[in-house]
Amino acid sequence: MDRLGELIQYGYDHAMGFKNHMNEAGVRPADISTVEDLAKIPVLKKDRLPELQSDDKPFANLTTVDSKEMARIFMSPGPIYDPQTHENDFWRFAEALRTAGFTARDIVQNTFSYHLSPAGFMFDSALREIGATVIPAGTGNRELQIQVMKDLGVTGYVGTPSFFSILLDAIEEKGWSGIGTFPLKKYFSPRKCCLLR
């Protein structure tokens, strides 16, 4: 049995929720021998997770790792419990950030939330994987956020477009002549990234 087959068989044997999901689709581990065969396993839609997790807390028995072995457990609206099993770039965002131009020379303000939901840590760990310096800013406190940008020479921003717009308005209100007075050059949001100059 190849490595992919072994992984599928292990999940099937040790995670009852995964086994049930495969059985509902009429798929057995022996049916999965190539990467293309993974398409036989239907995507488990996120909107099903609250119901599945409420019936079998905390992860609907979809993982083979015990809660005590997790590096972090997050809660997204639903509620949905999201496991993170190790501290490195677990969410695999580093490649996207590298493609967007982020490097080890950047000081990046991460305005995604660090409490309960995983977004803050998703980007934090990816930026650390790249070697960038991260300012774990989270959301809110626009006055402090723009002060940090100015004082520390922030070169990159990760967060939502709406919060970035709020920060730009606050910079203008301070009379700091907009983003041009800052070394900020890179912007990344899950749906958009750009170089600012």
Side-chain angles (χ1 to χ4, degrees), residues 121-178:
F121 284 101
M122 287 174 162
F123 285 94
D124 192 291
S125 61
L127 288 161
R128 294 300 311 129
E129 181 77 16
I130 292 168
T133 300
V134 181
I135 300 166
T139 56
N141 300 312
R142 70 183 196 147
E143 295 291 322
L144 292 175
Q145 296 257 10
I146 61 172
Q147 190 68 49
V148 164
M149 282 182 171
K150 187 175 181 190
D151 291 350
L152 300 181
V154 170
T155 59
Y157 168 93
V158 293
T160 64
S162 58
F163 190 61
F164 190 59
S165 179
I166 288 168
L167 294 180
L168 291 176
D169 289 345
I171 289 168
E172 191 173 305
E173 287 171 18
K174 283 276 192 192
W176 288 343
S177 304

Side-chain angles (χ1 to χ4, degrees), residues 92-102 188 193:
R92 309 278 195 287
F93 278 35
E95 184 178 348
L97 290 168
R98 277 189 192 100
T99 302
F102 288 83
F188 187 93
C193 67

